[in-house]
Amino acid sequence: MITSINISQKQYFNWQECLWYLDRGFDDCVYQVRPGCVRRAFEFEGEAVLVDISYANGALTLQWLIGTKSTATINHVHQFVADWFDLETDLTPFYKLLLANQPLAYMAQSFKGLRFVGMPDIFESLAWGIIGQQINLSFAYKLKRRLVETYGTSLLYGDGKYWIFPTPAKLSGLQPDDLRQLQFSQKKAEYLITVAKQFADNALSKNIVLALPDFLSRQKILTSIRGIGVWTANYVLMKSLKERSSIPYGDAGILKALILHGFMKDKTDLQGMDSFYKTFAGWESYLSFYLWRSLANKPEEQETSVMPPSL
DNA sequence: CTCCAGGTATTTT
DNA sequence: AAAATACATGGA
């Protein structure tokens, strides 16, 4: 079976750029990138499916490889994919801002059509935020894979295995020692289990956060949880809830990118960071995403570098 | 050995 | 209120 998702904002959409970002050298265990396509397993209301997502004629095409595919599941996956690749946003104003900023103008060309790659599942997003705190990304992806392969579920197709992120219920029953065996620090283990319990008890959910009236109250409900600071809260709000004006304050990668582009003198120059972000009001999340993107170069771009000539 | 990586909580000025 | 420090782990 094949279904498709129309891309309403095609002007700045480049599937290859999105796929490249997904596969930029790290090992995310919840999807698999193949030529022109990304494969991912989903579970919704007890139904597990495996889908190949590719692009054709201005729409994303989903080939359903495994599963009984109820209408509810199809709708759920369609919504997930639309959120995952941010298909509804008109990027024209963002590209105008990029072009007006000399050190960043090259991005409008080099990254043209790259959509904000989200993480629609807020629990996975929170877990990933906790895992990623203060460690390098390679190690963070290793921890995520160990977690998923130990406590998640998988689908078999051909000779491949496709993993689905563990549920809050599954993780809520763990003890910190269980996660320490996967090389989680004591703190990360405690934080993650606490969050899992909140979701399992329905004390926290995507809808609960979405129902709050504004950004600050959403940030507050997240930072009130032990282990969730401003960085993690803002990260989750942008990756999972599409907050446009979220800034991952303190992010080591963002700071590095801002210094490389000449917007900050050093990592303590937080005022420089703030004033810089003000010029991208309404697009702070997209800008952050593009700054992260700038830290990874395609192999064929290494020599010519995607950075401005002055760098 | 040192420093740091997509931080946070706690303690000390 | 602001600054220093402890916490954990693997990689360069």
Side-chain angles (χ1 to χ4, degrees):
Chain A
M1 182 178 81
I2 289 178
T3 61
S4 68
I5 305 172
N6 183 47
I7 301 168
S8 54
Q9 301 292 340
K10 302 186 178 65
Q11 188 178 0
Y12 294 102
F13 181 86
N14 184 321
W15 183 232
Q16 289 306 321
E17 285 294 329
C18 297
L19 283 180
W20 186 84
Y21 180 82
L22 290 180
D23 201 29
R24 76 207 125 112
F26 295 110
D27 170 42
D28 198 323
C29 56
V30 298
Y31 58 77
Q32 194 180 101
V33 179
R34 331 174 133 246
C37 139
V38 57
R39 179 173 292 180
R40 180 166 187 154
F42 296 89
E43 189 162 15
F44 183 65
E45 293 180 346
E47 190 177 27
V49 294
L50 183 67
V51 175
D52 268 350
I53 306 162
S54 55
Y55 174 86
N57 304 319
L60 287 184
T61 300
L62 277 60
Q63 180 162 13
W64 299 74
L65 304 172
I66 294 182
T68 53
K69 295 159 285 199
S70 67
T71 304
T73 297
I74 292 171
N75 289 339
H76 171 78
V77 172
H78 278 197
Q79 186 60 54
F80 187 102
V81 172
D83 284 349
W84 191 8
F85 299 108
D86 193 37
L87 301 183
E88 306 293 330
T89 304
D90 177 8
L91 291 189
T92 309
F94 175 59
Y95 275 68
K96 277 186 182 157
L97 289 172
L98 281 180
L99 288 168
N101 190 311
Q102 200 281 322
L104 301 180
Y106 75 99
M107 291 181 173
Q109 200 56 46
S110 299
F111 308 156
K112 187 173 182 181
L114 172 64
R115 312 298 302 205
F116 186 104
V117 175
M119 202 174 287
D121 181 334
I122 190 174
F123 177 63
E124 180 188 339
S125 173
L126 269 164
W128 178 234
I130 290 168
I131 290 170
Q133 288 169 6
Q134 189 57 20
I135 59 175
N136 65 67
L137 275 181
S138 304
F139 181 47
Y141 278 106
K142 279 185 192 170
L143 289 181
K144 180 177 178 180
R145 179 173 284 282
R146 286 176 193 153
L147 178 74
V148 171
E149 293 189 350
T150 307
Y151 299 106
T153 53
S154 66
L155 295 182
L156 296 176
Y157 182 79
D159 53 0
K161 202 168 191 177
Y162 302 92
W163 289 97
I164 296 171
F165 199 80
T167 62
K170 179 82 176 180
L171 298 183
S172 67
L174 302 183
Q175 297 299 317
D177 278 351
D178 297 324
L179 296 178
R180 297 227 53 183
Q181 292 186 7
L182 309 181
Q183 304 306 125
F184 277 60
S185 69
Q186 179 71 25
K187 298 290 186 192
K188 283 189 202 302
E190 292 170 4
Y191 298 163
L192 178 53
I193 292 168
T194 301
V195 168
K197 281 178 177 157
Q198 297 223 28
F199 275 82
D201 296 345
N202 212 29
L204 193 62
S205 69
K206 191 167 185 173
N207 284 336
I208 287 172
V209 181
L210 270 174
L212 295 172
D214 53 32
F215 177 81
L216 282 180
S217 48
R218 290 180 186 132
Q219 188 187 58
K220 195 172 172 185
I221 197 178
L222 294 177
T223 54
S224 68
I225 303 167
R226 250 178 73 86
I228 309 296
V230 170
W231 178 86
T232 310
N234 287 10
Y235 181 85
V236 167
L237 290 173
M238 75 165 71
K239 292 289 276 188
S240 180
L241 298 187
K242 298 188 166 302
E243 287 282 0
R244 294 288 197 79
S245 295
S246 193
I247 302 171
Y249 286 107
D251 182 274
I254 295 288
L255 292 174
K256 181 179 174 186
L258 290 177
I259 292 168
L260 282 172
H261 287 82
F263 294 110
M264 290 172 65
K265 295 190 296 289
D266 57 70
K267 293 188 175 184
T268 63
D269 181 20
L270 295 181
Q271 288 187 337
M273 177 175 176
D274 235 29
S275 61
F276 167 72
Y277 264 102
K278 279 201 172 64
T279 64
F280 276 81
W283 295 95
E284 292 90 339
S285 301
Y286 248 96
L287 177 60
S288 301
F289 183 70
Y290 270 49
L291 287 170
W292 278 321
R293 166 63 184 87
S294 76
L295 294 173
N297 278 354
K298 299 183 183 183
E300 64 270 27
E301 285 175 356
Q302 293 286 2
E303 290 178 14
T304 52
S305 177
V306 295
M307 293 306 239
S310 60
L311 302 177

